[in-house]
Amino acid sequence: MPRPGNSFDIDAPFLQEAIKFLAAHPDELLKVPALRAMLAQRRMAELKSASGYRQADSAQVIDHTVSYNIHSLESGGVALDRASLLAEPLRSVTRLAGRLHELDVLSVGPRSEIELMALVAHGFSLDRIRAIDLFSYSPLVEVGDVCALRFPDDSFDVVFLGWVLGYLRDPRQGAAEALRVCRPGGIICVGGDWHDGRPVERADAAAPNLQADQPCLSSEDLVALFRPHVGDVLFRSEPVPPYGHGQRNIITLFEARKAGAQDQLGRPGAEHVAALAPERALALQMQALKFKAPAELLRMIEDFVAGYRGFTETGETTERAYLAHRAAYVMTCGAFNDAISSYIARAVPPRAPAPALPFDDTFALDAGPDDSPASVAEQLDRDGCYVFRRRLSPDLVARLRALAGDPAAPPGPDGTSRPAPAPDQAPLRRIDPRLLLADESAARVLFHPLFPAVSDAYLGAASTQSSHGMWWSVPHSGRHEALSGAAQMYHFDKDFIRFLQFFVYLVDVDAGAGPHCFVRGTHRAKTEATWRDGRISDADVAATYPGKLVELTGKAGTVLAVDTLAFHKGKLPTTSSRLVLQVVFANSLFGKDVDWVPGTVAAHPIVRSAVAADPRAYLRFLSLKAAA
């Protein structure tokens, strides 16, 4: 029988193995709340004895705020770990999956370092976290006023505002500052104390009769402080009746919808929505259909259909509709996806097929004759992957390699290098996509007619560019979380309904440089055991699909086309870093994380010309055409 406190009979040999693992990966200790509390307590004692407290004044907080919080901290409050209540729901936001370590974060009012430890434990990178409070003993927490933050506008992807607003005389001032420093489309995470309007006192010798002036009755009370700049509300939690007297937690997470958000990547404009008219007509037809399916699948289909119509009217895909479409794909073994794609093909039929691939001096002939779009589509339909016989010209490869900079610190949107996160926390180094739009060499590749020509032939519809990017994949420790977050474990993608990805290697990629690994034929057929969403181990893939695994190596300039509905991964680089340029074309922009590009974004004339020549191919760039 298991001993009390040791439910799974953990023995001494296992504990020794665990100690070795933790010695090699000490941040893993932060995932244990009790150990976080012990570390926070120890560091507070050491740091406070060395330098004491630093404090700032603010006329915006209620009386005794600082003295009360210091007293609470020294009375055991260092172990108060409410940040996890805000961070945990954030991990479930699909568009952030595997990307938390890339986000710039502001923690307002953490009181102690335990909040920062909790954020690191949940996947954020410490060197991308800024923290500010009215008092601090820690060099990791700056001293300042939430109502007068010393950060530029649009500085952070996520703002944590946990149990802070109740200390302000006017909570709207704190809310306004949080909105100011949060990027458009960023996420604000707010926590507060619930009470029913009757006096709630925090009485102690250091801070008698401290109480919040603003009662919180529901999560809507918190959200109301930020209106009209509230986008999608991603999470709410509040007490359920009967409440009783006292305090409990209210939590809400929402997207910041700010004035001027149309001037940033991410939000659709009126011209984008107008261009969705053919799909809007299709959505109305689909809503009139009567589907017959088991109850759970029928709910997924109905959620998708309603969400697809909403997408055609707003240009935005809701989380619920996106997840429904993904679930329906798995539940029907792809049949639902094929049916929807056939409807889309009728609504937006492909352009007239080209007899040959539209190559020019952007590409250099490698070996053998050029294929036609139809023959490329035929091989893609059979295998799911294709390596083009032409490579990108050496001159363009060199220019793009220079644009990407050092893999340790790739350039930001202004072209300057940024501090690099620790390799164990950031296996990918992404180049800002806006930088690519302004660069001539990147524009020549990303907007080359080769990609829509092949995509049309394969997808059977008038394809449109759904995303683009460039990143370094760098060697790292190979921890499970790092592998999963960097897509270096086998999985299939379901970002859009149907789509085709093109990758261009910008360095020589051999087996040690992280080649794209692909399981041929699994875009069309998967075994029953692998018809599931999520990561799959190398051993399971090798056992299930013998003879179908390929590593797509190649020299710098090699161009791949892959249908990533198949199982695939980027191999963990071991000997050198890999630089890749990516462009994706889809049959519809219904899906995950579409960056609708506004007319104010700096774009090379090549980009604007391509949009003017073929608006359907570049729907998300239509504001550039309107602004020309």
Side-chain angles (χ1 to χ4, degrees):
M1 292 292 292
R3 290 171 292 167
N6 189 3
S7 301
F8 290 93
D9 288 328
I10 297 174
D11 57 18
F14 178 84
L15 287 174
Q16 290 299 320
E17 290 181 30
I19 289 170
K20 290 180 182 179
F21 173 80
L22 293 171
H25 308 287
D27 273 358
E28 293 293 316
L29 290 166
L30 300 178
K31 295 180 179 179
V32 182
L35 297 180
R36 282 204 297 270
M38 290 171 57
L39 180 61
Q41 186 73 54
R42 177 179 175 180
R43 283 181 55 86
M44 187 183 83
E46 293 173 350
L47 293 168
K48 188 164 67 76
S49 65
S51 58
Y53 291 109
R54 310 182 320 275
Q55 297 186 33
D57 294 325
S58 174
Q60 305 304 320
V61 298
I62 59 180
D63 295 341
H64 308 299
T65 290
V66 172
S67 58
Y68 165 74
N69 278 278
I70 290 177
H71 179 77
S72 297
L73 189 62
E74 295 185 343
S75 301
V78 69
L80 188 62
D81 193 5
R82 293 191 291 193
S84 295
L85 301 178
L86 300 176
E88 191 65 37
L90 201 59
R91 297 176 64 183
S92 300
V93 178
T94 304
R95 67 181 175 88
L96 301 183
R99 294 184 52 236
L100 296 184
H101 61 275
E102 301 176 358
L103 304 181
D104 295 316
V105 176
L106 175 63
S107 169
V108 179
R111 186 187 282 181
S112 78
E113 288 184 344
I114 198 166
E115 178 158 321
L116 310 187
M117 295 174 185
L119 296 182
V120 171
H122 282 82
F124 295 96
S125 178
L126 183 60
D127 60 4
R128 304 195 78 151
I129 299 173
R130 302 288 293 274
I132 189 167
D133 208 328
L134 277 174
F135 73 99
S136 176
Y137 62 85
S138 168
L140 300 176
V141 180
E142 303 171 40
V143 171
D145 184 356
V146 64
C147 294
L149 296 172
R150 296 190 299 270
F151 304 113
D153 296 355
D154 305 335
S155 294
F156 299 100
D157 300 299
V158 182
V159 176
F160 287 96
L161 204 62
W163 293 268
V164 169
L165 297 179
Y167 291 106
L168 302 180
R169 299 187 188 281
D170 183 0
R172 284 191 174 276
Q173 289 192 25
E177 274 293 89
L179 280 165
R180 181 183 67 79
V181 300
C182 187
R183 290 171 179 147
I187 297 175
I188 296 180
C189 309
V190 191
D193 290 330
W194 172 87
H195 64 89
D196 56 8
R198 289 176 281 178
V200 177
E201 297 185 351
R202 304 181 184 94
D204 55 64
N209 300 321
L210 177 66
Q211 70 178 64
D213 291 339
Q214 304 292 329
C216 272
L217 305 179
S218 70
S219 59
E220 181 56 33
D221 287 343
L222 290 179
V223 171
L225 297 172
F226 297 84
R227 297 197 186 280
H229 304 297
V230 177
D232 289 342
V233 176
L234 306 174
F235 180 82
R236 295 176 187 260
S237 177
E238 56 197 42
V240 176
Y243 299 130
H245 183 50
Q247 290 175 265
R248 302 179 189 177
N249 295 318
I250 293 179
I251 296 170
T252 185
L253 280 64
F254 61 89
E255 292 182 341
R257 179 165 292 174
K258 300 169 61 174
Q262 298 293 340
D263 293 333
Q264 305 288 330
L265 296 185
R267 292 289 182 185
E271 62 280 355
H272 302 122
V273 175
L276 295 174
E279 288 186 72
R280 190 152 50 249
L282 169 61
L284 293 172
Q285 295 173 21
M286 289 171 56
Q287 281 203 308
L289 297 175
K290 300 296 183 183
F291 296 96
K292 293 183 178 180
E296 185 179 1
L297 175 58
L298 186 60
R299 283 198 303 273
M300 296 299 104
I301 293 174
E302 290 173 345
D303 284 349
F304 165 78
V305 171
Y308 182 66
R309 178 177 177 178
F311 157 75
T312 66
E313 294 172 346
T314 66
E316 297 185 276
T317 304
T318 65
E319 188 88 353
R320 179 172 181 168
Y322 167 73
L323 293 176
H325 123 272
R326 189 173 184 121
Y329 170 74
V330 173
M331 294 168 72
T332 63
C333 298
F336 178 74
N337 204 63
D338 292 341
I340 297 302
S341 294
S342 67
Y343 283 116
I344 293 173
R346 292 197 291 270
V348 283
R351 303 162 185 85
L357 295 175
F359 284 121
D360 54 22
D361 61 359
T362 303
F363 298 89
L365 185 62
D366 187 19
D370 295 335
D371 284 333
S372 67
S375 61
V376 174
E378 183 179 353
Q379 182 170 331
L380 282 168
D381 194 60
R382 181 181 68 247
D383 295 334
C385 59
Y386 180 85
V387 181
F388 288 90
R389 292 191 172 94
R390 292 193 185 223
R391 297 201 300 265
L392 201 64
S393 71
D395 177 61
L396 277 176
V397 169
R399 293 182 185 183
L400 290 169
R401 172 67 180 80
L403 177 67
D406 191 307
D414 58 357
T416 59
S417 292
R418 299 172 296 184
D424 197 42
Q425 294 182 324
L428 302 183
R429 310 279 200 269
R430 296 186 185 275
I431 289 78
D432 193 288
R434 289 167 288 186
L435 189 65
L436 305 179
L437 297 180
D439 181 78
E440 178 182 1
S441 299
R444 281 184 63 186
V445 181
L446 294 173
F447 292 84
H448 197 279
L450 167 70
F451 303 121
V454 171
S455 299
D456 277 24
Y458 178 61
L459 299 176
S463 59
T464 187
Q465 193 195 110
S466 54
S467 64
H468 70 278
M470 181 192 287
W471 64 87
W472 285 100
S473 300
V474 302
H476 60 89
S477 67
R479 287 168 52 193
H480 182 277
E481 287 186 357
L483 290 170
S484 180
Q488 290 168 350
M489 296 180 68
Y490 279 106
H491 64 286
F492 64 80
D493 293 334
K494 198 65 185 72
D495 295 353
F496 301 94
I497 297 173
R498 279 199 70 198
F499 56 103
L500 186 63
Q501 298 208 49
F502 299 89
F503 296 108
V504 183
Y505 290 159
L506 298 175
V507 294
D508 292 344
V509 176
D510 59 16
H516 189 83
C517 300
F518 196 87
V519 185
R520 290 178 301 182
T522 54
H523 62 312
R524 293 297 186 200
K526 299 176 176 67
T527 65
E528 183 177 355
T530 58
W531 262 114
R532 55 185 172 85
D533 215 340
R535 302 318 198 207
I536 299 178
S537 71
D538 288 11
D540 285 347
V541 168
T544 307
Y545 299 104
K548 293 188 176 183
L549 278 66
V550 291
E551 289 190 3
L552 300 174
T553 58
K555 293 185 176 296
T558 296
V559 184
L560 316 175
V562 290
D563 183 343
T564 53
L565 283 176
F567 289 118
H568 67 282
K569 69 171 186 174
K571 189 177 181 182
L572 170 64
T574 54
T575 59
S576 61
S577 298
R578 183 193 71 172
L579 178 63
V580 66
L581 182 71
Q582 174 205 45
V583 61
V584 184
F585 276 77
N587 60 357
S588 171
L589 292 181
F590 173 95
K592 179 183 178 184
D593 298 342
V594 174
D595 282 335
W596 300 90
V597 179
T600 54
V601 166
H604 193 275
I606 289 174
V607 177
R608 296 182 184 275
S609 296
V611 175
D614 192 346
R616 169 66 193 179
Y618 305 105
L619 283 177
R620 66 192 186 100
F621 298 92
L622 288 183
S623 291
L624 297 177
K625 179 182 177 184

